[in-house]
Short mmCIF file of all heavy atoms in Angstrom, two decimals:
data_model
loop_
_atom_site.label_atom_id
_atom_site.label_comp_id
_atom_site.label_asym_id
_atom_site.label_seq_id
_atom_site.Cartn_x
_atom_site.Cartn_y
_atom_site.Cartn_z
N GLU A 44 3.68 2.29 2.38
CA GLU A 44 4.36 1.31 3.21
C GLU A 44 4.73 1.86 4.57
O GLU A 44 4.49 1.20 5.60
CB GLU A 44 5.67 0.96 2.51
CG GLU A 44 5.56 -0.08 1.42
CD GLU A 44 6.77 -0.42 0.74
OE1 GLU A 44 7.82 0.17 1.03
OE2 GLU A 44 6.85 -1.33 -0.14
N CYS A 45 5.22 3.08 4.67
CA CYS A 45 5.55 3.65 6.00
C CYS A 45 5.66 5.15 5.78
O CYS A 45 6.58 5.76 5.24
CB CYS A 45 6.91 3.17 6.43
SG CYS A 45 7.39 3.99 7.97
N PRO A 46 4.67 5.89 6.42
CA PRO A 46 4.66 7.33 6.28
C PRO A 46 5.86 7.99 6.86
O PRO A 46 6.41 9.08 6.40
CB PRO A 46 3.42 7.75 7.13
CG PRO A 46 2.55 6.60 7.00
CD PRO A 46 3.45 5.35 7.02
N LEU A 47 6.48 7.41 7.96
CA LEU A 47 7.72 8.02 8.53
C LEU A 47 8.90 7.94 7.61
O LEU A 47 9.67 8.86 7.45
CB LEU A 47 8.04 7.41 9.87
CG LEU A 47 9.24 8.00 10.56
CD1 LEU A 47 8.98 9.44 10.89
CD2 LEU A 47 9.55 7.27 11.87
N ARG A 48 9.01 6.78 7.00
CA ARG A 48 10.12 6.67 6.03
C ARG A 48 9.96 7.70 4.81
O ARG A 48 10.92 8.28 4.30
CB ARG A 48 10.13 5.30 5.41
CG ARG A 48 11.23 4.92 4.51
CD ARG A 48 11.28 3.44 4.20
NE ARG A 48 11.41 3.19 2.84
CZ ARG A 48 12.61 3.36 2.16
NH1 ARG A 48 13.68 3.67 2.82
NH2 ARG A 48 12.73 3.06 0.87
N TRP A 49 8.69 8.00 4.49
CA TRP A 49 8.42 8.97 3.36
C TRP A 49 8.92 10.31 3.86
O TRP A 49 9.54 11.00 3.16
CB TRP A 49 6.90 8.99 3.13
CG TRP A 49 6.53 9.96 1.94
CD1 TRP A 49 6.43 9.61 0.67
CD2 TRP A 49 6.37 11.32 2.05
NE1 TRP A 49 6.12 10.73 -0.07
CE2 TRP A 49 6.08 11.81 0.69
CE3 TRP A 49 6.34 12.26 3.11
CZ2 TRP A 49 5.78 13.09 0.46
CZ3 TRP A 49 6.06 13.66 2.75
CH2 TRP A 49 5.83 13.97 1.46
N PHE A 51 11.25 10.96 6.11
CA PHE A 51 12.67 11.02 6.16
C PHE A 51 13.24 11.33 4.70
O PHE A 51 14.18 12.11 4.56
CB PHE A 51 13.21 9.69 6.65
CG PHE A 51 13.13 9.48 8.10
CD1 PHE A 51 12.83 8.21 8.62
CD2 PHE A 51 13.26 10.55 9.03
CE1 PHE A 51 12.72 7.99 10.04
CE2 PHE A 51 13.16 10.32 10.39
CZ PHE A 51 12.84 9.08 10.85
N GLU A 276 3.33 8.53 11.00
CA GLU A 276 3.61 7.51 11.99
C GLU A 276 4.51 6.38 11.40
O GLU A 276 4.25 6.10 10.23
CB GLU A 276 2.25 6.94 12.45
CG GLU A 276 1.55 7.85 13.38
CD GLU A 276 2.40 8.16 14.64
OE1 GLU A 276 2.92 7.28 15.28
OE2 GLU A 276 2.54 9.34 14.91
N PRO A 277 5.39 5.79 12.17
CA PRO A 277 6.08 4.64 11.64
C PRO A 277 5.18 3.42 11.47
O PRO A 277 4.27 3.32 12.27
CB PRO A 277 7.14 4.37 12.69
CG PRO A 277 6.67 4.97 13.91
CD PRO A 277 5.77 6.17 13.56
N THR A 278 5.30 2.68 10.40
CA THR A 278 4.58 1.47 10.17
C THR A 278 5.46 0.30 9.94
O THR A 278 5.88 0.09 8.82
CB THR A 278 3.59 1.69 8.95
OG1 THR A 278 2.90 2.91 9.10
CG2 THR A 278 2.53 0.61 8.89
N PRO A 279 5.85 -0.36 10.92
CA PRO A 279 6.92 -1.43 10.77
C PRO A 279 6.38 -2.60 9.88
O PRO A 279 5.18 -2.84 9.93
CB PRO A 279 7.14 -1.90 12.21
CG PRO A 279 6.44 -1.09 13.08
CD PRO A 279 5.43 -0.24 12.31
N GLY A 280 7.18 -3.13 9.09
CA GLY A 280 6.85 -4.24 8.17
C GLY A 280 8.07 -4.75 7.52
O GLY A 280 9.22 -4.28 7.92
N GLN A 282 9.43 -3.87 4.92
CA GLN A 282 10.29 -2.77 4.34
C GLN A 282 11.36 -2.35 5.29
O GLN A 282 12.27 -1.72 4.94
CB GLN A 282 9.33 -1.63 3.85
CG GLN A 282 8.81 -0.75 4.95
CD GLN A 282 7.54 -1.34 5.53
OE1 GLN A 282 7.09 -2.43 5.18
NE2 GLN A 282 6.89 -0.59 6.46
N CYS A 283 11.18 -2.60 6.56
CA CYS A 283 12.14 -2.16 7.61
C CYS A 283 13.52 -2.78 7.30
O CYS A 283 14.56 -2.14 7.62
CB CYS A 283 11.72 -2.49 9.05
SG CYS A 283 10.23 -1.68 9.48
N ALA A 284 13.54 -3.98 6.69
CA ALA A 284 14.76 -4.72 6.53
C ALA A 284 15.74 -3.92 5.56
O ALA A 284 16.91 -3.93 5.64
CB ALA A 284 14.50 -6.02 5.95
N CYS A 286 15.34 -0.48 5.18
CA CYS A 286 15.23 1.00 5.57
C CYS A 286 16.53 1.48 6.10
O CYS A 286 17.04 0.90 7.11
CB CYS A 286 14.07 1.21 6.50
SG CYS A 286 13.86 2.91 7.02
N ASP A 287 17.07 2.56 5.67
CA ASP A 287 18.32 3.16 6.13
C ASP A 287 18.12 4.03 7.31
O ASP A 287 19.16 4.59 7.91
CB ASP A 287 19.00 4.02 5.05
CG ASP A 287 19.41 3.08 3.88
OD1 ASP A 287 19.75 1.86 4.12
OD2 ASP A 287 19.45 3.59 2.75
N PHE A 288 16.89 4.18 7.82
CA PHE A 288 16.62 5.20 8.84
C PHE A 288 16.25 4.59 10.23
O PHE A 288 15.63 5.18 11.02
CB PHE A 288 15.56 6.19 8.37
CG PHE A 288 15.79 6.68 7.05
CD1 PHE A 288 14.88 6.55 6.03
CD2 PHE A 288 16.97 7.32 6.72
CE1 PHE A 288 15.07 6.98 4.72
CE2 PHE A 288 17.22 7.79 5.46
CZ PHE A 288 16.29 7.67 4.47
N ARG A 289 16.62 3.27 10.35
CA ARG A 289 16.27 2.56 11.67
C ARG A 289 16.79 3.25 12.87
O ARG A 289 16.22 3.35 13.87
CB ARG A 289 16.70 1.09 11.55
CG ARG A 289 15.62 0.28 10.84
CD ARG A 289 16.01 -1.14 10.79
NE ARG A 289 17.07 -1.29 9.89
CZ ARG A 289 17.51 -2.45 9.46
NH1 ARG A 289 17.00 -3.57 9.94
NH2 ARG A 289 18.56 -2.55 8.54
N SER A 290 18.01 3.86 12.73
CA SER A 290 18.62 4.45 13.92
C SER A 290 17.86 5.79 14.33
O SER A 290 17.97 6.17 15.55
CB SER A 290 20.07 4.87 13.66
OG SER A 290 20.10 5.74 12.61
N ARG A 291 16.97 6.31 13.41
CA ARG A 291 16.25 7.46 13.75
C ARG A 291 14.77 7.06 14.04
O ARG A 291 13.98 8.01 14.49
CB ARG A 291 16.19 8.46 12.55
CG ARG A 291 17.56 8.98 12.22
CD ARG A 291 17.46 9.72 10.92
NE ARG A 291 18.70 10.21 10.49
CZ ARG A 291 19.09 11.53 10.71
NH1 ARG A 291 18.33 12.25 11.32
NH2 ARG A 291 20.34 11.97 10.42
N CYS A 292 14.40 5.87 13.77
CA CYS A 292 13.02 5.46 13.85
C CYS A 292 12.63 5.08 15.30
O CYS A 292 13.37 4.32 15.93
CB CYS A 292 12.70 4.31 12.93
SG CYS A 292 11.11 3.60 13.11
N PRO A 293 11.53 5.54 15.93
CA PRO A 293 11.16 5.21 17.19
C PRO A 293 10.91 3.70 17.43
O PRO A 293 11.03 3.18 18.53
CB PRO A 293 9.81 5.92 17.51
CG PRO A 293 9.65 6.91 16.32
CD PRO A 293 10.61 6.54 15.32
N GLU A 294 10.67 3.10 16.32
CA GLU A 294 10.39 1.57 16.45
C GLU A 294 11.70 0.85 16.64
O GLU A 294 11.76 -0.28 17.12
CB GLU A 294 9.77 1.07 15.10
CG GLU A 294 8.38 1.60 14.90
CD GLU A 294 7.35 0.86 15.74
OE1 GLU A 294 7.67 -0.27 16.26
OE2 GLU A 294 6.28 1.44 16.00
N PHE A 295 12.83 1.43 16.25
CA PHE A 295 14.09 0.68 16.25
C PHE A 295 15.25 1.41 17.06
O PHE A 295 16.22 0.79 17.34
CB PHE A 295 14.56 0.41 14.85
CG PHE A 295 13.74 -0.62 14.12
CD1 PHE A 295 12.68 -0.17 13.36
CD2 PHE A 295 14.09 -1.93 14.11
CE1 PHE A 295 11.87 -1.05 12.67
CE2 PHE A 295 13.31 -2.82 13.44
CZ PHE A 295 12.22 -2.39 12.74
S1 LIG B 545 12.44 1.36 10.13
FE1 LIG B 545 10.48 0.63 9.36
S2 LIG B 545 8.96 1.70 10.60
FE2 LIG B 545 10.96 2.80 10.87
S3 LIG B 545 10.93 4.37 9.32
FE3 LIG B 545 11.97 2.66 8.40
S4 LIG B 545 10.34 1.60 7.33
FE4 LIG B 545 9.34 2.93 8.78
#
Side-chain angles (χ1 to χ4, degrees):
E44 278 180 355
C45 175
L47 182 60
R48 187 170 132 75
W49 186 93
F51 286 143
E276 284 303 306
T278 313
Q282 72 279 2
C283 298
C286 178
D287 294 332
F288 311 123
R289 272 179 292 188
S290 62
R291 295 169 181 265
C292 172
E294 294 283 339
F295 290 88

